[in-house]
């Protein structure tokens, strides 16, 4: 049974995977306010399949954000919006910058710092919402010996570990993509193996809905 | 069981409801080539839920088209693309122009002509594809005494009648929206009651998938 | 006899119906400063038919405004401009958001609050101008069982009630459109049933001029 | 009584005064297709005051045209559109170029040629329409000793003379503006004394409607 | 003999006639910094004919300015630039607004106020520069019975009177245009009779250079 | 005495030095039709100083043209315009490409070919106009040992030689710039030493007017 | 010793890796005419290190091209330009489309067809140039079990095989990138593993120069 | 041996030669953050040839800067970025403005002031970085009697003198260009003789790398 109650509010936040061109300052309401990514897919699916429930969805993801950036703005961009439910997907840029701009070492968020940031975010949010849900970062690369995939797995484990510690729900997106990549090459979803495009967004939305109690027939 | 076979091609055509900003000259392939409307939703859902099947989807809808415009271009924009399956959604503009530009009477496609056009399209396409599917035009207005709704119903009936005559599958989209509008006001979907937006596109996609044998669990 | 005296100033304010692309910060003067909606039609008609009178018209409507937004800016955008006459048309968005974004319940202005806002606006303005005129919000939908039409009627009644209470002139625009819609379908005026376009703007201007004493022959 | 019958078509043609940003190739239908000048005002007024009549209005004015340009395209842009009524307003550029680019003498249309062109236009159109109406060119300059005003008067007389010869209705716009300019300076209407802006367009529309039998009360 | 010494600075200020698209915040230096109007013509002529003299020219005209606007910014935009010579051309908008927006009476600068402003500007500038030069506003209309021409003459007289009172040089631009308009119609220079275009700018530059001692042969 | 008669036409053609953003297809008439370079300066000066003469000026320069390009289009772009006077300035690109793209040898117009082209142009034009005038190409570099300056001198000599052979007037622009560069560095006129900017354009115009009989006082 | 002689011409052609925003119709000459990719790096390096040699470089790559597209335009875009040397880099899109748009099977160029196309290109070009050089397509992915890498290797082998058969020089770019990817992750060069960016372009240029006899000291 | 250590940071600063469209506020990281000039070439070459070293390159050049501007922002734009190595190239605009805008004398930085500025910059930076390197300004003009070349030589000497005084490394770019200009005309590199374009940027990068110990084989 869908865990989101009627007339409640869910705020999604994170980086470009979440952002997806959302409106500013808060991504909500008319005209693609929630962006064109997985948040929109979730919004659309809830509206189509649960028309009797009114669920207010808002998006405050910001492209390029690391866990540090998110922590720094967690009050205005999450807590001040007074969500009933909070959904956070962060960590891509913490990892990616170590590979695409390896020389800018002062900009990198290393595992120790990442863990501190995730824990700090959880502590700031947890008791202020009815429920907090984390989505792990992922890399759409099925070969685990790839250096960035390996690093991303490490960061995904940190997210899972922190969530476990504070008893926060955590949805493993890497697992979803690993399953899908048995059928299609990563370049089918997106050349850069990070931004999810239409297919990847729906894969994320599917996982999210499944793990939050979606119980309608598709057709 | 999904009626579309692996490694086959479906061409969708019609007006702006189908078009939705598709690529030119043929809407297919990378970068929203199929547009951002219900065709994309169908494409996405098939790719997400049937990753083991490769289904080539193309879109040749053109915004503003009437049944007459479509008939005039049926060869280059449908037959020449050699689809295995053809899906057609037409009639909105045939009706709408009678209401938003009532004085331009020479531009109106009246019922008799509409019926001739639909039949001519069916005759041109039917034997050249494995399967032809029509989607009825609709008006997102639940009150049947509204003049445009009444007229649209008349045109929808013509589509259904022609399809029956030639034994062509016809999916009644008006019924889908009537059901949905029990819960939400039309302005939630789209202020103009015609263009489907994200929610309406998914409603169309849902009906289409259900009627073409979609058989996977959503979550 | 025209109630507006020579060398006086009328300020119109409200939402997008009033705004219509007016100049910023104050919509007045050269180059469509007053916008391209009903305010311009009124300005044009007064200039054409009463060339011997100089009437300064200014527009401070802001698209998307509710009665709450208008109340919050009533001092800088109306009182500080020192109008002799003030004309206010508000309430569309108070109603519309309840239908097009029903889940964003915290953004909705419900009837009780709407009534408070209208009264507060009247109290703030009434004694600071020679005359205050309200225009009721409307919905270009003739079928009264439409949910949004019904709600708009409720809000229109509140405007009328408040005006009566404070002895403020109130022009019923819904009645004007109801009359017109006996001849044409709403989609002839505007697909969204709210923004008035050229025909609807002239209908509003006609009602306004009639109720303010216009007494010239049209031709 | 309005001379235009229900379900008939009026085509307006001429230069930029008529054009006013109309749609291409034919200015008609949705979205300011008829432009934003006096043709739109006429269209709006007929729709507002005669909602029971459906009058198809089209505009084929082209900015910068002289009588020669118009004559050269009279078939595709007027006759081929099969109007019931034709309205022509031409001559501004025939005169203006003699003053703003006096050295480009080979581009000027002198009186003798202008008269030939007007007569040729009348002969081409007259028997192919139910009624042909000319609007004289004008110069928004009340001082008749101004050289361009004097020249424009000369061209206006030619239009009137030709119309009289062929028994075609001719509406004297110069007279309308002369009356208005007793109250306001030309720069109030438009700095260039030619393009009519909102006020001038309504003045033209008013004259046109009066001379074609408009018989409704304004308010 | 040219009154401007080598290695000195001239600042021109005023309204759009001076501005002509100059650079911001100060119009000087490379790439049309001085705008494309009469200031540029003066700059070009001095550079071409007096290459042995280095004269720093700057332009701080702002389109739409009245004498009031100029007075309000005389310190930052003229005095603070420490010119050796100051050239001011103002008054067009003081007059024009009385004719093109006659109803906005609170925006008009009437003669009494204009005279006060001009005197205040002179008093602020006079003793801070080596020489102050005024250019009278003008209207490119040879018929003195035109209402705006008459009003402009009145304002030109005020400029001359103030200059005389403080012993400031004043160049009568109206006289220059009156002479030129014996040969060409105002629409040859500019349709609006105010902005000088290429020919009018050179006429102003010619007057300015003549009155400041230009003594080179053209060829 | 000015050699150009009243009511005659001068066509200027060449490359970007002449073109300067002129209108297409023919650069003439309103709105900077003649471009913003030396042709405009000549046009402006003739209009300001000889208001009693009407001289039709047209410009068909095309940026990047070599003598070969010009020869290839001499009929449509010069002869077909039926000028009374023709003015040609060509050769910059014939030389420049040898220096800025030295490896593209097949694109270079070498001296022998250049001479053939100039002679062919003269032969095509000479007897079809009242007078033909050539302007030599130049390089704004005073040091004759510069390789490009030396090459440009060679091409300038070819132009002069051809003109002498056919008794065509030739104005030596290099001499004009050499004189000016005694006072200012080339970078004052233009960083690239070819395009003349405002100062260089007026220098060209001055030379042109002097050599064609300009006889008015500058001030 | 550099194999390219003085005053000769090299034409590079292929797909987006070659194209890189080159000028149209032929990419050569001023202003990044050769694009901003590896062709420009080669052009720059030859100009910097061999200033005594003039080598005309042109680029006719077209983004998105497959071997089939290139074969179809080999005459106008390579042979008609009369190169002394021809350099071809093709095959990326033949492979990529099989992975990013797997359902569009009719658009795929399979190995057999690819081999035919490469051979046909070689046969068309070989005897018309002094030297033909092929660059193999590559995938910036070091893990050979990646499906697209494996497929790209297959196509690279075909290129090498065809070159061997006709005795054409072939430079193995995959080997170059494999070497580099020992140090950096592919996302350092480009997220999509195909377009080379600045670092990848220089890697290609380095390989090209080494294999064509570059013999200068870098510093 | 390359003087730059692994995991260190180099900040380049100066004017447009350095800037070259870099990112703001600091030019570093993804997407041409370092600009498209010589800094990018250095970045690319170090990455290609020393993939085992991670060197963080940042660019804070600002187009149009003089030594005065640079001195004024040396703290935020250089010191606060905590570079290990600092590279400065300044002086072009100090000289250029004396030639292209000779009349704006108050904007010129004369030799005495330039020397003070360079020394002040050195004093501010020297002890805060591991190594400071200056690049002399240059003028791509081989003829030393050119006035601007002579002036630039004077400024280059000042840079060298200051560097010598403080024992700072100084790379003489003028010498590099002088050598190259023996083969090609300045217009091959850039028409304005200052901005280096692709070839000039690589010439600067080559000099820089040679003087900082680059020791790899090019091919």
């Amino acid at each position: 049974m869908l865990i989101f109650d009627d007339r409640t509010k869910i705020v999604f936040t994170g980086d470009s995977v979440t952002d997806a061109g959302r409106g500013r300052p808060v991504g909500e309401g008319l005209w693609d306010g929630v962006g064109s990514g997985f948040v929109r897919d979730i919004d659309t699916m809830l509206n189509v399949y649960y028309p009797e429930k009114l669920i207010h969805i808002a998006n405050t993801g910001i492209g390029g954000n690391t866990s540090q950036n998110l922590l720094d703005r967690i009050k205005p961009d999450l807590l001040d919006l007074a969500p009933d439910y909070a959904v956070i997907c962060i960590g891509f840029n913490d990892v990616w910058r170590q590979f695409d701009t390896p020389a800018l070492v002062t900009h990198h968020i290393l595992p120790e710092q990442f863990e501190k940031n995730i824990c700090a975010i959880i502590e700031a949010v947890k008791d202020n919402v009815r429920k907090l849900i984390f989505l792990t970062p992922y890399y759409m690369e099925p070969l685990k010996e790839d250096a960035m995939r390996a690093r991303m797995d490490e960061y995904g484990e940190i997210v899972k570990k922190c969530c476990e510690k504070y008893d926060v729900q955590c949805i493993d997106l890497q697992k979803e993509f690993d399953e899908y990549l048995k059928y299609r090459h990563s370049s089918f979803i997106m050349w850069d193996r990070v931004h999810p495009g239409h297919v990847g967004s729906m894969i994320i939305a599917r996982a999210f809905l499944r793990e939050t109690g979606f119980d309608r027939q598709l057709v």
Side-chain angles (χ1 to χ4, degrees), chain A:
Chain A
M1 202 192 69
L2 194 65
I3 67 171
F4 307 113
D5 294 329
D6 185 29
R7 292 173 186 268
T8 52
K9 182 177 184 178
I10 316 175
V11 176
F12 292 80
T13 196
D15 50 34
S16 64
V17 170
T18 302
D19 182 336
R22 68 167 175 94
R24 257 69 180 172
V26 176
E28 65 185 9
L30 297 169
W31 318 132
D32 277 340
V34 298
S36 61
F38 78 86
V39 180
R40 187 173 76 191
D41 282 341
I42 290 169
D43 190 39
T44 298
M45 295 303 271
L46 290 176
N47 276 305
V48 169
Y49 286 93
Y50 293 89
E52 77 282 11
K53 281 200 182 191
L54 294 173
I55 299 169
H56 178 167
I57 286 187
N59 178 352
T60 61
I62 293 183
N65 262 211
T66 61
S67 61
Q68 190 61 55
N69 302 130
L70 183 58
L71 176 59
D72 293 346
R73 62 184 183 89
I74 203 72
K75 188 175 177 306
D77 283 357
L78 188 64
L79 301 178
D80 289 358
L81 299 177
D84 298 295
Y85 307 93
V87 185
I88 295 172
C89 183
I90 199 76
F92 297 98
N93 295 302
D94 302 68
V95 172
W96 212 353
R97 289 304 88 73
Q98 299 175 42
F99 294 89
D100 63 15
T101 49
L104 278 65
V105 292
T106 52
H107 297 21
H108 299 162
I109 309 293
L110 298 180
E112 191 181 5
Q113 186 62 43
F114 182 69
E115 183 167 344
K116 276 186 198 161
N117 290 341
I118 296 298
C119 288
I121 290 169
I122 292 175
E123 287 179 9
V125 177
K126 193 172 183 300
D127 295 340
N128 291 296
V129 297
R130 204 176 294 185
K131 189 171 180 65
L132 168 63
I133 300 170
F134 259 84
L135 309 178
T136 66
Y138 56 82
Y139 194 43
M140 293 185 282
E141 172 51 62
L143 300 171
K144 294 186 181 178
E145 57 270 48
D146 175 84
M148 184 162 151
R149 166 65 198 263
R151 192 65 159 171
M152 197 67 85
D153 281 348
E154 195 179 337
Y155 280 62
E157 285 308 311
I158 290 170
V159 172
K160 285 192 264 185
K161 187 175 102 185
C162 294
C163 285
E164 202 165 338
K165 177 174 165 194
Y166 292 94
D167 194 25
V168 164
Q169 182 176 4
C170 182
I171 299 171
D172 187 344
L173 297 182
Q174 183 68 61
K175 219 175 62 186
E176 302 292 326
F177 283 106
D178 282 352
E179 186 59 30
Y180 194 77
L181 293 171
K182 291 174 184 164
Y183 296 94
R184 302 282 174 100
H185 188 260
S186 63
S187 61
F188 170 70
I189 305 186
M190 191 57 72
W191 293 350
D192 66 13
R193 293 182 273 180
V194 170
H195 294 99
H198 303 305
V199 164
S201 290
M202 188 55 83
I203 287 171
I204 297 174
R206 176 174 62 172
F208 180 85
L209 293 171
R210 185 183 60 232
E211 301 300 324
T212 56
F214 185 97
D215 55 2
R216 298 283 154 98
Q217 280 302 106
L218 179 69
V219 296

